[in-house]
Amino acid sequence: HRNIKHIDLSATTSTTLAEGAFENCYKLNSLVLPAQLEKISYMAVAECVNLQSIVIPASVVEIDDRAFENCRILSSITFAEDGELSRIGNWAFYNNHELTNVVIPEGVTEIGLAAFYGCTYLKELTLPSTMHEVADNGFALCSKLRRMNVAASTPPTVAARTFEDVDRAIPVYVPTESVGLYKAAPVWKEFNIVGRD
């Protein structure tokens, strides 16, 4: 399995990518997921250090813990429009150094513990209007982050270290009517809150 470079599951009817399904497929650089996939399980694609991009089908409801952990050159995550995704698990995209732009889709309410920890080249982050909570260390060590867009009218609950090592001077764009809420909310109030229509 360590010599596999390309996997195309588009013709299958699988709804679950099993635990550790492609873990340690070191040379894998292309993976096409089934269109009706509902769950990406624990460590399903972990340690695929040559995987460069992934498209998450609209049918996916959950990305489980450590699903894409240590995919170190993964530079593009595309979430299909009008998707069913509601949760991104703990350490799901941990240590994915090459990500530069992450757009969390509408419908996601929770981002787990250290989900994007160590994404050191992340420059822009967008959180949807449905976001309720980003757990501790969710975006810790994302030291190159230069802009955040948060569409939620109510500030998502975040922990003291959710944005550990992120520059507090960067602009965080929020709904104009919610500027006051963000400026009063724990952790968010430390950032440069900017209203947008």
Side-chain angles (χ1 to χ4, degrees):
H1 70 286
R2 294 182 180 180
N3 291 318
I4 297 173
K5 295 182 179 180
H6 177 68
I7 299 173
D8 186 346
L9 301 174
S10 59
T12 73
T13 57
S14 298
T15 58
T16 299
L17 204 59
E19 290 189 10
F22 302 114
E23 181 184 0
N24 292 327
C25 287
Y26 298 129
K27 293 185 179 180
L28 184 67
N29 58 41
S30 174
L31 172 62
V32 181
L33 298 174
Q36 52 273 83
L37 189 67
E38 296 175 3
K39 182 176 180 179
I40 301 174
S41 299
Y42 177 79
M43 296 193 82
V45 197
E47 305 289 344
C48 292
V49 295
N50 277 299
L51 186 65
Q52 298 177 28
S53 64
I54 193 72
V55 176
I56 308 296
S59 53
V60 171
V61 175
E62 181 178 2
I63 297 174
D64 205 354
D65 297 350
R66 301 184 180 229
F68 292 92
E69 181 180 76
N70 278 329
C71 292
R72 298 174 190 172
I73 69 167
L74 185 68
S75 60
S76 174
I77 307 168
T78 302
F79 295 95
E81 293 184 4
D82 301 319
E84 300 293 326
L85 185 64
S86 62
R87 177 180 181 270
I88 296 175
N90 303 329
W91 304 288
F93 294 95
Y94 176 91
N95 224 17
N96 290 2
H97 300 304
E98 296 298 320
L99 285 175
T100 58
N101 183 21
V102 171
V103 179
I104 305 298
E106 288 293 325
V108 174
T109 61
E110 177 188 353
I111 293 177
L113 179 72
F116 291 88
Y117 182 104
C119 294
T120 52
Y121 285 93
L122 186 63
K123 294 180 180 178
E124 184 165 352
L125 169 65
T126 298
L127 299 177
S129 65
T130 52
M131 185 59 61
H132 292 164
E133 179 180 4
V134 184
D136 198 26
N137 282 308
F139 292 92
L141 301 191
C142 296
S143 56
K144 288 184 171 61
L145 195 59
R146 291 295 173 261
R147 172 189 176 111
M148 276 195 277
N149 306 292
V150 187
S153 297
T154 300
T157 300
V158 294
R161 295 180 298 181
T162 294
F163 297 107
E164 182 77 14
D165 205 35
V166 174
D167 186 357
R168 295 313 200 242
I170 68 170
V172 176
Y173 295 92
V174 305
T176 298
E177 68 274 13
S178 301
V179 167
L181 293 175
Y182 278 85
K183 286 187 174 181
V187 181
W188 293 112
K189 65 184 180 182
E190 301 170 10
F191 286 94
N192 175 22
I193 302 298
V194 180
R196 59 164 176 74
D197 295 329

